[in-house]
Amino acid sequence: MNDSQPPVAAGTSACDKVLDTLARLCLIVAGVLLVFLIFSFGWLVFGRYVLNDTPTWIEQSSLLIVVYITCLGAAAGVRFRSHLSIDFLREGAPRPLRLLMQLIADAFVIAFGGVMAWQGWLMMLNNADRPIPMLGLSESWRSAPLVACGVLLVIFTGAELIQRAISTRKGH
C-alpha cells in the first residue's frame, strides 16, 4: 500500500470514496502529463540536435503542462495529507488547543483555495481572447488549473473539517 494514501477504513463513507477517487484521478492525470512532458523534451532534444530543427511549440506546452501537474498534485496532496508539515508543536499541545490549531490551518487552506479559484476564474475570463504563442490555445488554459486546484482545495479541506467536527462531537 502507498504510504502517502490513508488506509481505507471499514466505515469509510461514500463521500470519502468519491473524494479519494477524485484525488487519485488528479494524480493519474498529473502522471500522464508528466510522461508527456518527458517525451516532449526528448523530442525537443532529438529535433534540435539530430534534425537541426527545434520544435518551438514544446517550450510553451511545457510551461502549460507544469502548471497542471503542480496544481493537480497539490490538490491530491491536500486530500491524502501528504504535504510537508511540522506537527510536533500541534501534536504536543493539549487537545482543545490542537483542535483550534487544526481549525485555523483548515480555515487558511479553505480561504486560500477560494481566493485561488476566484482569481483564477477572473484570469480565465480576462484572457479568453488571447492565444498562447506557438500553441494557438486560449491563454485561459493557463488559469484553468488554478480554478480546479482552488475548488479542490476547498472541497477536500471542507470535507476533512466536517469529518473532524463529526468525530469530535462523537468523542473520538
Side-chain angles (χ1 to χ4, degrees), residues 1-8 20 23-24 27 79-82:
M1 179 183 282
N2 186 346
D3 291 346
S4 67
Q5 297 176 4
V8 178
D20 286 347
R24 284 187 183 95
L27 291 177
R79 175 64 189 163
F80 295 132
R81 295 175 295 285
S82 62

Side-chain angles (χ1 to χ4, degrees), residues 113-129:
V115 169
M116 177 189 273
W118 175 250
Q119 293 300 315
W121 179 256
L122 293 177
M123 286 173 52
M124 280 181 61
L125 294 177
N126 289 334
N127 293 319
D129 296 333

Side-chain angles (χ1 to χ4, degrees), residues 52-146:
N52 201 23
D53 183 24
T54 303
T56 55
W57 58 270
I58 291 178
E59 179 184 357
Q60 289 298 321
S61 68
S62 299
L63 293 171
L64 185 63
I65 289 170
V66 166
V67 175
Y68 278 86
I69 292 169
T70 303
C71 288
L72 293 173
V78 167
R79 175 64 189 163
F80 295 132
R81 295 175 295 285
S82 62
H83 283 287
L84 178 65
S85 65
I86 302 171
D87 296 336
F88 72 92
L89 287 176
R90 184 183 68 217
E91 296 306 318
R95 183 166 170 76
L97 183 57
R98 184 176 40 218
L99 293 174
L100 178 64
M101 292 166 87
Q102 288 175 331
L103 178 67
I104 291 170
D106 288 343
F108 275 120
V109 173
I110 289 171
F112 179 79
V115 169
M116 177 189 273
W118 175 250
Q119 293 300 315
W121 179 256
L122 293 177
M123 286 173 52
M124 280 181 61
L125 294 177
N126 289 334
N127 293 319
D129 296 333
R130 294 180 41 214
I132 297 174
M134 308 292 176
L135 293 180
L137 295 172
S138 169
E139 280 282 351
S140 293
W141 283 97
R142 289 193 205 265
S143 306
L146 297 175

Side-chain angles (χ1 to χ4, degrees), residues 6-38:
V8 178
T12 302
S13 70
C15 180
D16 280 336
K17 290 178 184 176
V18 168
L19 294 176
D20 286 347
T21 300
L22 183 58
R24 284 187 183 95
L25 181 63
C26 288
L27 291 177
I28 290 168
V29 171
V32 168
L33 289 173
L34 184 59
V35 169
F36 178 78
L37 187 67
I38 291 167

